[in-house]
Amino acid sequence: MEKPGKPYSKKEKTAAIMVSAALISAPFIMDVSNVAYADPAPKPDTYFIDEIGNLIVPLHGTIPVRNLKAIYGAYINDFEVTSVNSYGSGDLFAYNEPGYSAEGLLKIHPYREGTATFTVSWNNNTSQDTFDVTVVNDPSITNERNFDISDAATKAIHSSSPNEVEGLLSGIGPANSTGNVEGNNPPTLNPQNQYNPFQNGSLELGSFFYLSTQELSSFFRDIDGDDISVIVFDNIDNSETTPAARFVYKSEFNSWIVESVQVGESTFTAVALDSRGGVVASQPFTIEVLDNQVPTMKNNPVANHLATEGNELNLSSNSELDLNEIFYDAPFQNLQYSAEVSFKNGYGCGSQTINNYPITFTQPTNILSYESVRSRLNAAYPNLNGDIHVTNLKAKDNLNQFSPSLSSTINLHYSEYEGFNENIPQNMELYASNSAGESSFTVNTDIQDWFDDDLYLFDIQQPQSEINHAVIPSMYEENEREYIKFTAGSLANTQSRLKLYSALNEEVNKTVWFQNDIVVKVMKPTLSGMSQSINLYSLLGDYNYNWEYFTNNFNEFVSMTNVTGVTYGFYDSGVYTLTLDNVNSNGTVLTIIPDSSEERGSRIFKIPFVRLENVPL
């Protein structure tokens, strides 16, 4: 559907309409002034054309709208409406709303009781129609048109040709007073369309919405089946005032757009026209533009590290970086993320390096990891090989406003361990704490061999997404050594994902962080009659541990309290198992130190057991 008329170029007042959940379902209060096309045959250029005649309008109530093209001819453009006792005069009774005449419409605003004289001109002011508009306080007397016969006779006497007189007199009469084809019904609101964009609503700064002309017309209906065109006008009288929001027609898309400009309010009116001159105008509706916060970086160590130019973050293959813990926006905003990735695709001489390939992350998938990126690239690059380097990561809110890009590079590693933090297992099991004591795993962090050369422990965090934590991490110093400790809760069959950060200082103004995600499961001993067994293999999480040496020197690695019977070693299942045949009524605690030296530091496991009573076989 073509846009009717020409755009109101002075302030881009014509425009689109927004479809938004904030602007839903409010009925129109419509002006039903019947306006229609007169004889489409061209009329002669005449100075006096009495087509509209004098009008009476109510001071309060629906504002009448006239279709000037329907009254004076569809071929006419460049209408200009002026008035006496209107703008700039001491006595303001009524005025024409700016912008409407550019679209071939006349909308008269009553101001106070009295009479103002209006003139509609076209063809470079060679043709005019002058009429009075009387504003009254009693709307009941505006139902019928006020014909000024003496005015028509005066104009006829001063006409210069019979054609002018014929054109003058042909416009007098109720059927032609508004230009509406006799019997035509004007458009109305479409009750079957549940969304009503013409009601008071709000936008946020930086937002915009598109709507096609067909969708815009669907908010109205015409019971005669006539085609409908819709125009939206702002109601700013002062053309120098900058609106808070504006509607603009985009001819290249045959669509309309409503966009926010500045914080504040703007008022608009929608006008629908059918193909036979019927016009209907909505009551004014207001759009309030609210300030919207651009997505920003959170104030935490990880976010601050990533915001520093030159820094790097290395994620092991099982690590996940929750981007919602890095970026922040106003409440109820669902952030989306975009980035550029570089990687190698293919193997051997046939491989190719892909640089700065764009990817996006949308809710609820806001996790950055090797697997999450690989899955997005798999369709185009199924032979992805090696590490992935992520740059230019930024957040976008639902109003298409972007955060600054991260200054750091995030390296996603393909292999499982990548040589950092490997001595703290990425998957490990602890046994539940109980009345006999805490169950825990402690590691000495100040021995460099645990974290490779020049690495030191930076922090251990629990993801914000986890509410109930099966394991609580802590850091402490003892005897001039630094330790980290994982303490298991009392509830078995639970797990926690912990994030371990260590750092490597390389060159000036550059710091490399390493993130390992550690999944710790809380278990309970295996029961067999009155015996309780634990799996040392899964406890250490070390596939290369020298279990034969451990067995031969068992008492050097394991100490126990209140134990009357214990067996240990490999069983048919190939699992290294330690079994307590009986537990003291006061409880039993095992302390396991699988390795202890000045070069290697130590790992310490505390495992408490409680006495079992009346356990069936």
Side-chain angles (χ1 to χ4, degrees):
M1 181 177 298
E2 297 297 327
K3 176 180 179 291
K6 65 179 182 180
Y8 185 45
S9 59
K10 181 179 289 184
K11 292 180 69 262
E12 296 184 294
K13 291 177 178 289
T14 60
I17 216 57
M18 169 179 62
V19 177
S20 170
L23 306 179
I24 298 178
S25 358
F28 279 16
I29 302 177
M30 294 294 190
D31 165 51
V32 291
S33 303
N34 291 325
V35 184
Y37 291 99
D39 187 350
K43 294 182 166 66
D45 289 342
T46 57
Y47 192 82
F48 295 110
I49 300 292
D50 190 12
E51 291 271 10
I52 293 182
N54 296 335
L55 300 176
I56 299 176
V57 298
L59 180 60
H60 305 288
T62 304
I63 299 174
V65 177
R66 298 290 188 270
N67 187 340
L68 297 178
K69 288 179 173 288
I71 296 172
Y72 300 110
Y75 63 95
I76 297 177
N77 294 306
D78 301 321
F79 288 100
E80 182 178 353
V81 179
T82 59
S83 58
V84 180
N85 293 331
S86 182
Y87 291 112
S89 68
D91 298 319
L92 177 61
F93 303 111
Y95 60 93
N96 174 58
E97 183 165 325
Y100 276 64
S101 56
E103 294 292 343
L105 297 172
L106 173 67
K107 183 176 183 180
I108 298 173
H109 275 273
Y111 185 75
R112 66 186 180 89
E113 290 183 273
T115 300
T117 301
F118 282 72
T119 300
V120 177
S121 304
W122 62 95
N123 293 345
N124 295 321
N125 290 325
T126 60
S127 299
Q128 295 181 346
D129 186 4
T130 300
F131 53 92
D132 289 339
V133 175
T134 301
V135 179
V136 297
N137 197 34
D138 184 1
S140 64
I141 64 176
T142 64
N143 294 331
E144 295 184 3
R145 180 183 173 196
N146 176 25
F147 295 99
D148 191 338
I149 301 301
S150 62
D151 177 59
T154 299
K155 292 181 178 182
I157 293 173
H158 291 87
S159 298
S160 58
S161 69
N163 287 336
E164 292 183 358
V165 176
E166 181 182 356
L168 169 68
L169 298 178
S170 65
I172 298 178
N176 291 330
S177 63
T178 60
N180 187 50
V181 173
E182 189 171 359
N184 179 55
N185 295 287
T188 60
L189 176 67
N190 184 2
Q192 297 179 351
N193 194 327
Q194 62 177 326
Y195 296 106
N196 176 7
F198 308 115
Q199 76 171 83
N200 297 339
S202 63
L203 294 174
E204 294 200 55
L205 197 62
S207 64
F208 61 91
F209 295 88
Y210 283 99
L211 185 69
S212 69
T213 53
Q214 291 82 1
E215 291 174 308
L216 182 60
S217 299
S218 72
F219 292 102
F220 299 88
R221 69 171 183 174
D222 191 289
I223 62 175
D224 303 320
D226 299 330
D227 292 334
I228 296 175
S229 299
V230 181
I231 309 173
V232 181
F233 299 94
D234 71 31
N235 298 342
I236 297 177
D237 296 334
N238 183 357
S239 61
E240 301 303 320
T241 301
T242 301
R246 61 184 176 186
F247 292 78
V248 180
Y249 177 73
K250 298 292 185 180
S251 58
E252 62 270 30
F253 304 116
N254 192 27
S255 296
W256 303 74
I257 180 175
V258 58
E259 57 186 1
S260 59
V261 178
Q262 63 181 5
V263 175
E265 293 184 351
S266 288
T267 304
F268 302 89
T269 302
V271 178
L273 305 88
D274 67 20
S275 56
R276 294 190 294 164
V279 178
V280 64
S282 72
Q283 283 281 29
F285 59 95
T286 299
I287 292 180
E288 180 181 10
V289 178
L290 306 173
D291 192 10
N292 176 61
Q293 178 178 327
V294 175
T296 58
M297 300 287 293
K298 288 186 174 181
N299 184 19
N300 58 53
V302 180
N304 294 335
H305 174 81
L306 293 175
T308 303
E309 186 174 358
N311 283 350
E312 292 184 3
L313 175 65
N314 293 273
L315 273 66
S316 58
S317 59
N318 75 323
S319 294
E320 297 180 346
L321 182 64
D322 187 346
L323 298 179
N324 285 346
E325 296 182 10
I326 308 301
F327 294 92
Y328 171 79
D329 198 42
F332 311 114
Q333 288 275 21
N334 292 322
L335 289 178
Q336 299 179 356
Y337 301 96
S338 63
E340 295 175 352
V341 295
S342 301
F343 54 92
K344 181 181 291 186
N345 187 63
Y347 300 87
C349 60
S351 65
Q352 61 178 143
T353 300
I354 311 298
N355 292 313
N356 302 324
Y357 186 87
I359 60 172
T360 58
F361 300 82
T362 58
Q363 292 284 357
T365 310
N366 49 22
I367 299 298
L368 178 64
S369 67
Y370 189 91
E371 181 58 31
S372 69
V373 175
R374 187 200 64 79
S375 62
R376 286 167 170 77
L377 300 174
N378 190 57
Y381 300 99
N383 298 317
L384 192 149
N385 178 30
D387 297 344
I388 302 173
H389 308 286
V390 182
T391 57
N392 199 28
L393 179 64
K394 54 188 173 182
K396 181 185 74 170
D397 62 19
N398 359 348
L399 302 176
N400 296 308
Q401 294 198 108
F402 287 89
S403 70
S405 298
L406 290 184
S407 301
S408 296
T409 298
I410 302 175
N411 303 307
L412 309 176
H413 293 283
Y414 174 73
S415 60
E416 184 174 359
Y417 292 110
E418 273 304 315
F420 51 88
N421 299 343
E422 64 181 75
N423 290 294
I424 295 182
Q426 293 183 314
N427 293 279
M428 59 184 297
E429 295 178 354
L430 292 182
Y431 289 91
S433 299
N434 52 48
S435 59
E438 286 186 346
S439 175
S440 64
F441 164 62
T442 302
V443 61
N444 176 13
T445 67
D446 66 349
I447 302 300
Q448 291 183 356
D449 285 353
W450 283 116
F451 298 98
D452 293 336
D453 293 339
D454 298 326
L455 283 172
Y456 66 95
L457 182 70
F458 173 75
D459 196 11
I460 291 184
Q461 297 181 1
Q462 294 171 297
Q464 297 178 7
S465 57
E466 289 193 7
I467 300 176
N468 298 315
H469 301 285
V471 175
I472 304 298
S474 60
M475 301 178 63
Y476 67 93
E477 184 176 342
E478 184 177 291
N479 298 326
E480 298 183 353
R481 289 188 173 185
E482 294 181 351
Y483 295 87
I484 59 174
K485 182 178 182 181
F486 304 93
T487 302
S490 59
L491 187 62
N493 300 319
T494 59
Q495 74 175 34
S496 281
R497 178 185 290 271
L498 309 175
K499 296 183 181 297
L500 170 64
Y501 293 98
S502 58
L504 168 64
N505 288 323
E506 286 192 340
E507 55 192 60
V508 178
N509 297 326
K510 181 178 181 180
T511 302
V512 178
W513 280 10
F514 301 90
Q515 175 189 313
N516 271 12
D517 286 16
I518 305 169
V519 178
V520 184
K521 297 179 180 179
V522 177
M523 312 294 291
K524 62 180 179 179
T526 302
L527 303 181
S528 178
M530 297 296 291
S531 298
Q532 303 177 51
S533 301
I534 59 174
N535 181 350
L536 293 186
Y537 189 88
S538 62
L539 186 72
L540 270 64
D542 191 342
Y543 297 98
N544 299 315
Y545 189 75
N546 190 341
W547 289 105
E548 182 178 357
Y549 183 79
F550 182 89
T551 300
N552 294 334
N553 300 275
F554 182 82
N555 292 325
E556 295 182 12
F557 297 107
V558 181
S559 61
M560 297 171 281
T561 63
N562 302 322
V563 176
T564 57
V566 58
T567 57
Y568 51 87
F570 287 97
Y571 286 81
D572 294 338
S573 61
V575 175
Y576 195 97
T577 302
L578 185 153
T579 301
L580 299 181
D581 296 326
N582 193 11
V583 176
N584 188 280
S585 59
N586 294 323
T588 296
V589 177
L590 267 64
T591 301
I592 303 175
I593 306 177
D595 33 35
S596 179
S597 69
E598 291 298 325
E599 294 78 22
R600 295 286 293 172
S602 60
R603 288 179 287 179
I604 304 172
F605 294 89
K606 294 282 189 179
I607 307 172
F609 295 84
V610 292
R611 180 76 173 266
L612 301 176
E613 301 292 346
N614 301 321
V615 177
L617 294 176

